[in-house]
Amino acid sequence: MYKRQPEIHMKEMEVIMARAKSGLPEEVPVFAGEKHAVEDGARAMAIVRERAANWRIDPKRIGFLGFSSGAFLAADLAIGNRVSRPDFVGLIYGGLRTPVPYDASPAFIAGAADDAFTPDDPVQLYTAWRKAGVPAELHLYERGGHGFDLKPKGTTSDHWFEAFLWWMQSRGLIATVKD
């Protein structure tokens, strides 16, 4: 049986589609349930850091990678409470969140120019991070749409993950990957 999206989410999508066409408002309004998602994300960061020794990972190299609404969550964590900030974030076709503090998490930002939902946000995110003096890298692909993920589509966005790995290597977050 087909279940319809809750009305609040339908209204949120209408706002996002109108924003994609007009560019206004500059920042995507906070989503219903976003506060709870941020609380869950903060708890996840705390759990991973708490168990880092048992899992044999460096508690100072824990990142958060988010796609679409998950990228909004990653951005919220990166600019939010210092205690729960990831050491780095990957914001993949996400949207603008501000203000970006001077000590926000370094960000890898990727999106596609033909994204129907957040076409200008990768540049806005990058600009906000750079204005705050926070390290950021931007990859804006010509094509890929909203949701280019790991499945090859025959576009340059097919290589975003390799670029993300290279970025993490250059920051000393992971060991050098052998070709």
Side-chain angles (χ1 to χ4, degrees), residues 19 27 30 35 44 57 79-80 88 99 106 120-121 132 137 139 162:
R19 178 182 173 270
E27 187 167 335
V30 174
K35 177 183 174 212
I57 58 174
I79 66 175
F88 64 95
D120 300 321
D121 287 84
E137 182 162 314
H139 293 262
E162 289 130 323

Side-chain angles (χ1 to χ4, degrees), residues 154-165:
T155 69
T156 55
S157 63
D158 290 350
H159 303 282
W160 77 267
F161 190 67
E162 289 130 323
F164 183 53
L165 291 176

Side-chain angles (χ1 to χ4, degrees), residues 25-101:
E26 184 174 300
E27 187 167 335
V28 173
V30 174
F31 297 114
E34 190 167 343
K35 177 183 174 212
H36 299 297
V38 172
E39 291 168 356
D40 288 347
R43 274 194 298 274
M45 291 301 302
I47 289 168
V48 172
R49 286 201 170 112
E50 203 175 275
R51 297 180 182 172
N54 292 345
W55 294 342
R56 296 182 183 154
I57 58 174
D58 185 341
K60 300 286 186 204
R61 293 192 294 179
I62 298 171
F64 201 103
L65 176 63
F67 300 81
S68 191
S69 60
F72 282 93
L73 170 57
D76 287 338
L77 291 171
I79 66 175
N81 187 328
R82 282 187 182 104
V83 174
S84 56
R85 279 189 197 153
D87 299 298
F88 64 95
V89 291
L91 309 174
I92 315 301
Y93 38 87
L96 181 62
R97 286 288 182 251
T98 60
V100 177

Side-chain angles (χ1 to χ4, degrees), residues 137-179:
E137 182 162 314
L138 172 64
H139 293 262
L140 183 62
Y141 300 101
E142 178 185 2
R143 291 180 294 118
H146 190 84
F148 48 79
D149 61 47
L150 291 172
K151 184 178 178 187
K153 293 181 173 62
T155 69
T156 55
S157 63
D158 290 350
H159 303 282
W160 77 267
F161 190 67
E162 289 130 323
F164 183 53
L165 291 176
W166 293 333
W167 179 78
M168 289 193 300
Q169 287 172 19
S170 73
R171 299 194 61 74
L173 298 166
I174 61 172
T176 302
V177 176
K178 307 273 187 212
D179 288 331

